[in-house]
Amino acid sequence: MFFVNWIIGPQLLAIIFLIAGYIQKLYPPKKINALYGYRTDSSMKNQQTWDEGNRYSTALMIKYAWVMLLGGFALTVLLMQFHMEENAFVLTKVGLMLFGAGFITVNLFRLTERHLKNLPSNKN
């Protein structure tokens, strides 16, 4: 169970976000499509916003994932100090993981959309 304590929680989600972010960084979507990449109305407006939206959102995803990974390990150490029952410990970490997922997702979209709105090609 010791190993599971270090994997289950925000750090598991961070590893998933890191893998996804680095895959998208290494293999960015070349053309606007409905399957792969940062897909919103504003990013799919033209090729310039598509490229910039994918570049910017990927960089943010990687940054947030590193913060979440380090934060997840720190939270694990902190929670271990409380000597919680095993089920409460896992439930707390899963709750933190879900909160982290929501936080990353909402902020990733919010900041990327703001960035795309402020591009010179989108200014009126």
Side-chain angles (χ1 to χ4, degrees):
M1 188 63 185
F2 182 77
F3 179 72
V4 172
N5 287 342
W6 290 99
I7 296 300
I8 299 297
Q11 56 270 39
L12 175 63
L13 188 64
I15 291 168
I16 293 168
F17 272 91
L18 277 173
I19 291 168
Y22 281 115
I23 287 172
Q24 189 157 326
K25 185 174 182 177
L26 291 172
Y27 305 102
K30 304 283 186 231
K31 296 179 182 174
I32 299 171
N33 68 80
L35 296 175
Y36 175 61
Y38 181 79
R39 301 173 317 270
T40 63
D41 288 340
S42 60
S43 71
M44 297 172 83
K45 190 184 220 181
N46 59 50
Q47 190 64 43
Q48 180 187 4
T49 58
W50 174 257
D51 293 339
E52 183 59 20
N54 280 284
R55 184 201 64 76
Y56 190 83
S57 66
T58 299
L60 270 180
M61 184 188 317
I62 292 170
K63 286 177 189 175
Y64 277 137
W66 278 112
V67 169
M68 196 170 182
L69 182 66
L70 297 174
F73 285 130
L75 283 169
T76 297
V77 170
L78 182 67
L79 288 173
M80 290 176 118
Q81 304 306 312
F82 290 106
H83 304 291
M84 301 168 109
E85 191 177 307
E86 189 174 314
N87 289 342
F89 183 78
V90 171
L91 188 61
T92 302
K93 290 188 70 182
V94 168
L96 290 169
M97 184 170 66
L98 293 173
F99 174 78
F103 178 82
I104 285 177
T105 304
V106 167
N107 280 299
L108 186 102
F109 277 97
R110 186 178 62 82
L111 294 173
T112 303
E113 290 299 307
R114 181 187 304 161
H115 177 74
L116 290 176
K117 183 179 176 185
N118 290 326
L119 286 177
S121 62
N122 289 336
K123 299 256 183 183
N124 292 327

